[in-house]
Amino acid sequence: MASFVIVTEDGSCSEGEEMSFPELNVGRVHLESYRHEGDYVVLHFESGTEMAIPESRIQHIVTREQVA
C-alpha cells in the first residue's frame, strides 16, 4: 500500500505508480519518493528519472507512516 499520494490540478500520483517518459526513451518506471526543492515538488522514479512539478499546481500531499 502506498505511503504517499500527491494530488495536483490534473490528477494524482502515488508511491509505486508506473509512468513512462517516451521523450527520454524511458519505459515504465515506478514512483519511489518525492522531495521539496525550492518552488517545486520533485518526484523521484526508479532508474534515476525525476519530474519536477511547480508547488502552485499541488493541491495537497497525503502521507501515511509505515508501521512495522
Side-chain angles (χ1 to χ4, degrees):
M1 192 173 284
S3 64
F4 65 86
V5 177
I6 299 171
V7 180
T8 69
E9 299 170 343
D10 303 318
S12 65
C13 54
S14 60
E15 180 184 29
E17 187 172 316
E18 282 186 343
M19 289 189 78
S20 58
F21 301 91
E23 56 276 350
L24 297 174
N25 207 24
V26 174
R28 293 181 186 170
V29 288
H30 293 93
L31 178 58
E32 294 181 331
S33 62
Y34 72 94
R35 69 181 184 278
H36 297 274
E37 192 170 295
D39 292 335
Y40 292 87
V41 173
V42 179
L43 307 181
H44 176 74
F45 295 84
E46 61 189 344
S47 302
T49 305
E50 293 185 333
M51 180 171 70
I53 302 173
E55 279 187 337
S56 61
R57 293 188 54 216
I58 305 292
Q59 292 183 337
H60 56 275
I61 299 173
V62 180
T63 61
R64 183 181 63 170
E65 288 187 37
Q66 296 293 321
V67 179

